[in-house]
Amino acid sequence: ADWLAHPGLSGLAPLLAVHETLLSSQHQLLTRLRVNQPFASLVALMTARINGSASCFNAWAESGSVSPQLVDALRNDDRALESWAQNHPAERSILQAVQLLTRAPDRFSAAQLTPLAEHGLSHAQIIDILAWSGACGWMNRLKIALGIVRQQT
């Protein structure tokens, strides 16, 4: 089962398996967006936090692909996350871009791209981060809408 490589997809896979083409396409999209994407877990955790998708958050937190300190900061309030981000400037700029894109996509602009480029991300990496954020947000919302949630975080 190829979809097992995608922590946030596990709850949706049985539903999507009814449509093998859809599951296969979703797997291909997620795989392409994660390739050479060192911030995939960070983005997935942040979108799950914002969207209130505890099951997606827990799946990514349990994947072991991010530090326990980051997971703890994300589980707590914005002050804890800001404190963690002070020592991680590249991740901070990614978190800020993902927050705005997820919470207020109509306010997202080229101004949010500059800090990402200043931290050495290529245009392709930036676009991949934004597309990954959108894909994660879609999965969060779909799982919530279908009632596929685990509430504890």
Side-chain angles (χ1 to χ4, degrees):
D2 294 334
W3 54 267
L4 288 172
H6 307 290
L9 190 56
S10 61
L12 292 173
L15 175 68
L16 296 175
V18 173
H19 303 285
E20 181 59 36
T21 303
L22 183 60
L23 181 59
S24 177
S25 297
Q26 183 73 15
H27 165 68
Q28 288 175 5
L29 172 66
L30 295 176
T31 299
R32 287 185 182 156
L33 289 175
R34 281 185 65 190
V35 170
N36 299 321
Q37 175 66 261
F39 302 107
S41 298
L42 174 70
V43 172
L45 282 163
M46 186 56 141
T47 57
R49 177 185 191 247
I50 292 168
N51 289 323
S53 180
S55 61
C56 285
F57 186 93
N58 289 333
W60 282 98
E62 294 164 6
S63 73
S65 55
V66 293
S67 74
Q69 294 83 11
L70 173 57
V71 172
D72 288 343
L74 284 164
R75 285 185 200 268
N76 290 305
D77 59 16
D78 287 339
R79 286 193 332 223
L81 185 56
E82 184 62 31
S83 177
W84 178 88
Q86 291 292 327
N87 297 318
H88 303 87
E91 289 85 349
R92 180 183 192 170
S93 64
I94 291 168
L95 289 170
Q96 289 172 339
V98 169
Q99 282 177 329
L100 188 59
L101 185 61
T102 304
R103 289 182 176 151
D106 58 316
R107 293 191 358 231
F108 193 88
S109 70
Q112 281 70 49
L113 304 179
T114 302
L116 299 172
E118 288 173 353
H119 287 287
L121 295 171
S122 70
H123 293 294
Q125 288 173 313
I126 293 169
I127 296 301
D128 284 351
I129 286 170
L130 300 178
W132 178 249
S133 175
C136 290
W138 175 81
M139 285 190 300
N140 297 160
R141 292 178 183 102
L142 182 60
K143 288 173 79 173
I144 291 168
L146 295 172
I148 305 171
V149 293
R150 252 188 357 209
Q151 290 305 318
Q152 72 269 13
T153 59

